[in-house]
Amino acid sequence: MSEKQITIVGLGSMGQTLASLYIAQGYQVTVWNRSPGKAEALVARGARLARSAAEAVRASPVVLMCVYDYRAADAILALDGVATAMDGRLLVQLTTGSPQDARDAEAWAHRHGARYLEGAIQAAPDQMGQPDTPILMSGAEPVFRTAEPMLRVLGGGIVYLGDKAAAAAAMDLATLSTVYGTLIGFLHGARVAEHEGFDVAAYGRIVAGIMPTFAGFLQHEAEVIQSGDFAISQSPMRISVEATQRILDTAQQAGINTEFPAFAAGLLKRADGAGLGGEEFAALIKLLRR
Ligand code: NAP
């Protein structure tokens, strides 16, 4: 069994990038995609296009799947001969999904005699293959350690999260929650800036400048939650109760959209009402746990 054989199932923008990276590293790459036309450029560079998904799975000891979502992944795994062909293979599922999707996919793989790893890619296609490309991985440790050199072709920033297959999907959702929370707040800030006649690009640069400090603050708040000691250490919750109320009041006076500040101020006001105002900001989690 050659160590440099891999099958890539799914040739969307991410799957094509993954296949390219393995071709560039001298792997024998077999590809399959629902629409075979997307394989043309890869075939021109030496990839082999399988005639069916089952043939693609049989071609290599490692099958790396990266399709739109788990409905697409399940549809492919249900194709003729795929389950049988999976016996003895390693299925690396890089399709983004939920923790339950990952648990179900791992159970499916084990039922069909395959080993399983779950991955969550946290980068865009043109950021893949870099020394710091972030990819979360989970699944049985011996399986991960064996596959690690092959997975490192995709990026050097692989973080292994342990035996539970669902961990990568769960941590992906957790980090995405931070991303979307920040993005929505950022866009409300852009509305404040443009309403006040400021250069929004300058606002973007100022935000970028505070990000390293903000990242340090997030880490501190996570440590507070983990420790369970919510005594004020950096940022009293009451300051944020007032700040979010001020953002809301200002939006109302300016006549700009109030959805984000109304949500944030509402949550902080409830936390204050629940007696958490005199604790560290992270104590808000006590409200979220209810
Ligand atoms: P994409 O360009 O939209 O490609 C989607 C892929 O899924 C194509 O191969 C498509 O096949 C296939 N597909 C969709 N529905 C299908 C079905 N019912 N049956 C069989 N195949 C089906 O998506 P992508 O950007 O490559 O993303 C792939 C995965 O990577 C997603 O889970 C995404 O969340 C994750 N990801 C992407 C990025 C990114 O920036 N692109 C970043 C991080 C993670 P056809 O070609 O036949 O339509």
Side-chain angles (χ1 to χ4, degrees):
M1 187 165 84
S2 161
E3 280 183 13
K4 287 202 133 192
Q5 282 180 315
I6 195 158
T7 286
I8 311 285
V9 173
L11 298 176
S13 46
M14 188 55 86
Q16 291 196 35
T17 304
L18 307 184
S20 288
L21 288 169
Y22 283 107
I23 293 170
Q25 290 299 313
Y27 278 71
Q28 187 183 316
V29 178
T30 301
V31 295
W32 183 84
N33 192 55
R34 178 180 62 175
S35 316
K38 289 190 184 167
E40 270 173 29
L42 295 166
V43 169
R45 291 178 52 206
R48 196 177 141 262
L49 174 62
R51 281 165 300 179
S52 66
E55 185 184 297
V57 170
R58 269 196 308 274
S60 315
V62 178
V63 178
L64 206 149
M65 184 177 284
C66 188
V67 289
Y68 187 72
D69 59 10
Y70 268 78
R71 273 174 51 183
D74 289 347
I76 294 169
L77 295 177
L79 290 173
D80 239 15
V82 170
T84 314
M86 205 55 86
D87 190 24
R89 306 284 185 284
L90 164 62
L91 173 60
V92 181
Q93 185 57 271
L94 294 178
T95 301
T96 306
S98 70
Q100 190 57 46
D101 287 332
R103 281 188 281 270
D104 292 346
E106 183 186 48
W108 181 94
H110 289 173
R111 270 201 312 279
H112 294 97
R115 290 163 300 148
Y116 184 83
L117 290 175
E118 174 77 14
I121 297 172
Q122 299 202 300
D126 63 5
Q127 297 168 323
M128 297 302 293
Q130 303 301 313
D132 60 349
T133 302
I135 304 169
L136 306 175
M137 293 296 315
S138 52
E141 180 150 13
V143 177
F144 171 73
R145 294 296 166 209
T146 308
E148 196 176 358
M150 179 175 259
L151 294 171
R152 288 210 174 269
V153 169
L154 304 179
I158 291 181
V159 178
Y160 173 63
L161 294 168
D163 284 331
K164 287 184 180 156
M171 195 58 80
D172 190 47
L173 284 181
T175 54
L176 278 177
S177 301
T178 298
V179 167
Y180 285 110
T182 307
L183 273 174
I184 294 169
F186 175 75
L187 287 180
H188 181 80
R191 275 298 290 134
V192 173
E194 69 181 4
H195 180 77
E196 293 291 335
F198 295 128
D199 179 343
V200 178
Y203 157 70
R205 289 192 292 277
I206 290 168
V207 171
I210 64 171
M211 278 297 157
T213 317
F214 183 57
F217 178 66
L218 293 182
Q219 269 182 296
H220 175 75
E221 297 303 290
E223 282 158 12
V224 167
I225 293 167
Q226 192 61 39
S227 76
D229 178 1
F230 292 95
I232 293 170
S233 51
Q234 292 277 336
S235 183
M237 168 118 42
R238 191 151 291 123
I239 290 179
S240 293
V241 174
E242 285 163 19
T244 49
Q245 187 60 45
R246 192 161 57 245
I247 299 169
L248 175 60
D249 291 345
T250 305
Q252 282 166 341
Q253 285 154 15
I256 63 173
N257 184 284
T258 56
E259 286 171 275
F260 166 71
F263 169 71
L267 210 52
L268 269 295
K269 197 172 178 178
R270 274 172 52 214
D272 198 25
L276 301 173
E279 298 191 27
E280 177 68 13
F281 180 86
L284 183 60
I285 194 139
K286 295 184 195 176
L287 195 75
L288 301 182
R289 283 175 182 152
R290 285 178 194 163

